[in-house]
Amino acid sequence: MEGRDRSDDHHGTERRQAGFLDTVRAVLWSFFGVRRKSDYEKDAARLNPVHVIIAGIVAAALFVFTLIMIVRAVTS
């Protein structure tokens, strides 16, 4: 019975928590626009919404900054 409880807890923890790097990877794939349905469903169950928002804002800011730097380099 203890083994069953421990494996259930491990499954719940593993399924629910994802690292911040996993979140960043999921956000970057969403920027690219290509994602398998199975990966999307797995991410939806595991990712922390706060981490997704933070990673999305940071990625968008870096994208805009990169575009500005490219335009400045080309126009100078």
Side-chain angles (χ1 to χ4, degrees):
M1 189 174 250
E2 264 183 59
R4 193 176 122 206
D5 292 340
R6 199 176 320 141
S7 67
D8 289 344
D9 289 344
H10 179 67
H11 262 303
T13 303
E14 184 180 14
R15 205 180 107 219
R16 200 60 177 127
Q17 292 181 353
F20 190 72
L21 291 178
D22 294 328
T23 304
V24 170
R25 186 175 64 226
V27 168
L28 292 178
W29 274 113
S30 70
F31 268 66
F32 186 60
V34 177
R35 196 79 171 135
R36 288 188 303 214
K37 185 177 180 181
S38 62
D39 288 339
Y40 168 76
E41 290 170 353
K42 185 172 58 171
D43 287 342
R46 292 180 25 174
L47 296 178
N48 182 344
V50 175
H51 289 171
V52 172
I53 292 169
I54 292 170
I57 291 171
V58 169
L62 286 173
F63 180 71
V64 170
F65 177 76
T66 302
L67 289 178
I68 290 171
M69 290 296 113
I70 290 171
V71 168
R72 284 186 178 179
V74 169
T75 58
S76 63

